[in-house]
Structures are given as C-alpha cells and as structure tokens.
Amino acid sequence: MSVLGVLVGYFPPITANMNTIFAVLLVFVGCCSNVVFLETLVREFPGCGNIVTFAQFAFIALEGFIFETNFGRKKPAIPMSNYVIMVTMFFTVSVINNYALNFNIAMPLHMIFRSGSLIANMILGIIILKKRYSMSKYLSVAMVSLGIFICTIMSAKQVNVGTKGSDDQGVYAFLHWLIGIAMLTFALLMSARMGIFQETLYKQYGKHSKEALFYNHCLPLPGFLLLSSDIYNHCVLFSQSTPVEVPVIGQAVPVLWLYLLLNVITQYVCIRSVFILTTECASLTVTLVVTLRKFLSLIISILFFKNPFTAWHWVGTGVVFLGTLIYTEVWTSICTALRGSEKLKKKKT
C-alpha cells in the first residue's frame, strides 16, 4: 500500500464525508484569501488593524445574534461571568496582534510568530494544569522555539539593514521593532491562557463552540469605543481610496472598503470552517489542516507580496512547521498505519 493510501485510510472522516471535504477546502480558501486581503489593507495603511478587527467582530456578532441566540431569546449555557473573563482575554489578544503590525513587524514574521502557540500552551499547561508531556512533545516544542528564534533574529537584522538615515533612526527603528515582538509574545501567552480557561469551561459545562464564538465577538464591541477616533480616521481614509466599479451593485465603491468587506467575509468563512472540522474530525486532523493552512498562507504572502525572505527564514519556517507536525504525532500514526498494512499484506500471502 502506498503512503498516499495510508494517509487516505488514516483520515477516514475527510474521505468519507463530503461536508468535511467541503469544510477543508473552505479552510484553505477562506483563511488563505483572508491573509491576502489583510496584508493588502495593512500595506496601504499599516495602522488599520483596529477597523479590521471591529468589522470582523461586528459581522460575526450580528450573525450569531440572529442565528445562535435567536435575537437574544436563547439563554447562554455557560454563565455570563465566565464569558466576560474569556472575552477580556480574547479582545486583548485580537487588538494587540493587529496593533503589533504598526511596529515594523512583517506579515510573514507575524504568521510564524503566532505559530508558536504550541510553546505557550505547553508552558502554561505545565505551570497551571501541572501537565507532563512525552519526549516527542518536548522535542517538537524545542524545534518550534528554534524556528521562531531563527526567523526573529533574521528579521531583526533586516530591520537594521533596511533602516536608512542616521544611527539614531536605526536605533529607534530597532527599538520600535522590539516593542512589536514584546506585544506578539504577550498576545501569544494570553491566547494560551485563554485556551486553558476555555478548556476548563467546556469540561464543566460541555462544548458550546458556536455560543462561545458569538459572545467572544459580541461582548467586546463596547470596548471599541476606546478606539473610536482611530476607527473613524481610517473610515475617512478608506472612503478616500480609489473607487472601483462593482458589477453586482452597479456603482463604484472605494477599493479599501471592498477589500475590508472581502476580509470580513473570508474571516467568517475561515472561522466557521474550522468549527465544522472540530465537530466532524478528530483534533489531530484539525491541527494538521490548520498547520498546513498556515504554511500555505505564508508561501502566498511571500510570493504574492514579494516579502523579503532569506534562506535562513526558510530554514526557520521549515523547523517551525516540522515541529508542529511532530507535536500532532502524525508521523507516528502514519508509521503505525504502514506497519499495519504490511502485516495485513503478509497475512493475505
């Protein structure tokens, strides 16, 4: 039996269920195209993260209000006080991750750095939940850490080399970049803490992913009042962008508003598709699909936008994703399946 055949046998939900196949395709199409539209907006206005986050939250909250809570008539299964804690962490992580792009953080580095969620989860799992892991898990986390370290160091060199002007300007740009790295690190740890908190809630009250998706996006909306001036300023800037004809509505629309709409829609498709996968497939399958999606998004960002990416960046990226795959134990599962197929073949002969 070929390796491809083993993989097909290893992922029976994907081959047997057309809904799952459709969800996998939507994960790749939705999430990868979302990265393209986000980087297009960020390249035009690097500080537009707040308006993008607000638009995404408002859209998902509106959809959840109509279809999940039945216009507010359905009571939450998890106490609201717990959602307030979760939402505070979720809002903080979302805003900081987007705002970090203002600090000389390139989109490829942003994506690679966020792939370090395995490290953060393991560290907090050991500290908070007193978990212990196998040697393969520790090895995979060490590889992810090494890959992120390589990419971070190489990006730091590019900040120094790419900065023109006086030494003072170079130092300022480097310190600016360090602030962005610190923000990403904090958001990474906060996101891991939120995951542990959410896992604890699900064990206590049962899984209510669609409900959590709604409240995570609805409750933070008042917090955007603190960012209202920035959001308004970017609304004005977006409205001043070059108009483009939209055949569906038969009139011209500022191009950045069109990109924002496409970003919001693809973000919704991405999140809902991952949710479908979590209900249809094993967590291992979901992790593998999301990992491969991240890698494809990174490749698209590099090729489509011609982001600077050295050979060392490729090495670091490869180490990050190899470490992630080892963490999912997919290689062990493939080897087990291969050995099983060989034994079956011998029995038949």
Side-chain angles (χ1 to χ4, degrees):
M1 185 182 289
S2 65
V3 174
L4 179 59
V6 172
L7 283 172
V8 170
Y10 175 67
F11 297 117
I14 293 182
T15 56
N17 193 322
M18 290 302 294
N19 289 334
T20 308
I21 295 174
F22 189 58
V24 171
L25 290 175
L26 285 180
V27 167
F28 282 97
V29 173
C31 299
C32 292
S33 56
N34 178 258
V35 170
V36 171
F37 292 124
L38 176 61
E39 187 158 359
T40 302
L41 291 168
V42 168
R43 280 174 171 264
E44 189 69 29
F45 295 108
C48 70
N50 290 331
I51 189 174
V52 172
T53 306
F54 172 72
Q56 292 173 352
F57 276 48
F59 181 85
I60 294 174
L62 178 61
E63 188 274 342
F65 180 73
I66 297 171
F67 297 104
E68 172 58 24
T69 70
N70 192 19
F71 295 94
R73 289 193 288 265
K74 179 183 175 183
K75 292 184 179 180
I78 298 175
M80 193 61 67
S81 58
N82 289 316
Y83 276 126
V84 170
I85 297 172
M86 189 191 302
V87 160
T88 302
M89 292 189 282
F90 184 72
F91 178 76
T92 304
V93 168
S94 298
V95 171
I96 289 179
N97 270 326
N98 282 322
Y99 203 66
L101 294 169
N102 291 0
F103 291 83
N104 293 339
I105 301 294
M107 187 61 76
L109 178 61
H110 192 271
M111 287 187 285
I112 293 167
F113 209 94
R114 292 179 68 178
S115 296
S117 56
L118 288 175
I119 311 165
N121 276 297
M122 177 172 280
I123 292 172
L124 294 187
I126 292 171
I127 295 173
I128 298 173
L129 301 178
K130 310 298 181 185
K131 285 186 177 181
R132 292 296 177 266
Y133 301 92
S134 63
M135 284 304 298
S136 64
K137 291 286 194 292
Y138 289 117
L139 173 63
S140 66
V141 168
M143 292 179 67
V144 172
S145 303
L146 176 63
I148 290 176
F149 177 76
I150 291 172
C151 290
T152 303
I153 292 299
M154 295 311 298
S155 295
K157 287 184 178 180
Q158 286 179 352
V159 170
N160 288 333
V161 172
T163 304
K164 297 179 180 180
S166 65
D167 291 340
D168 289 341
Q169 288 177 322
V171 171
Y172 174 78
F174 180 68
L175 291 176
H176 207 57
W177 176 84
L178 282 180
I179 293 173
I181 292 295
M183 292 172 71
L184 288 178
T185 303
F186 176 79
L188 198 64
L189 292 171
M190 178 68 77
S191 178
R193 182 65 186 89
M194 182 183 70
I196 291 174
F197 182 72
Q198 192 169 359
E199 181 181 337
T200 305
L201 288 181
Y202 284 167
K203 285 181 180 178
Q204 186 175 355
Y205 299 101
K207 290 188 176 182
H208 302 279
S209 302
K210 290 180 71 175
E211 179 183 288
L213 182 66
F214 165 69
Y215 285 107
N216 278 344
H217 289 81
C218 177
L219 294 181
L221 289 178
F224 284 99
L225 291 173
L226 301 173
L227 309 170
S228 57
S229 59
D230 179 73
I231 292 173
Y232 174 77
N233 291 336
H234 279 92
C235 284
V236 174
L237 293 172
F238 277 28
S239 298
Q240 294 172 350
S241 62
T242 306
V244 60
E245 191 72 26
V246 181
V248 178
I249 61 176
Q251 64 180 30
V253 175
V255 66
L256 290 184
W257 281 114
L258 181 61
Y259 287 146
L260 180 62
L261 175 63
L262 293 171
N263 174 269
V264 168
I265 293 172
T266 52
Q267 173 72 1
Y268 175 75
V269 171
C270 176
I271 290 177
R272 284 304 302 270
S273 302
V274 172
F275 167 73
I276 293 171
L277 282 183
T278 58
T279 57
E280 297 284 340
C281 304
S283 59
L284 177 63
T285 306
V286 178
T287 304
L288 182 59
V289 170
V290 171
T291 300
L292 294 175
R293 191 279 301 171
K294 287 180 180 178
F295 186 74
L296 183 59
S297 295
L298 180 64
I299 300 301
I300 291 173
S301 175
I302 295 164
L303 298 178
F304 190 79
F305 293 100
K306 296 181 173 60
N307 280 305
F309 218 70
T310 66
W312 280 107
H313 280 95
W314 281 113
V315 171
T317 303
V319 172
V320 167
F321 286 99
L322 180 59
T324 305
L325 291 177
I326 291 175
Y327 187 90
T328 64
E329 297 180 352
V330 66
W331 307 123
T332 305
S333 302
I334 291 174
C335 290
T336 302
L338 282 170
R339 283 196 294 268
S341 64
E342 287 298 324
K343 287 180 180 178
L344 186 62
K345 199 173 183 181
K346 286 179 182 178
K347 284 182 179 181
K348 287 182 178 179
T349 56

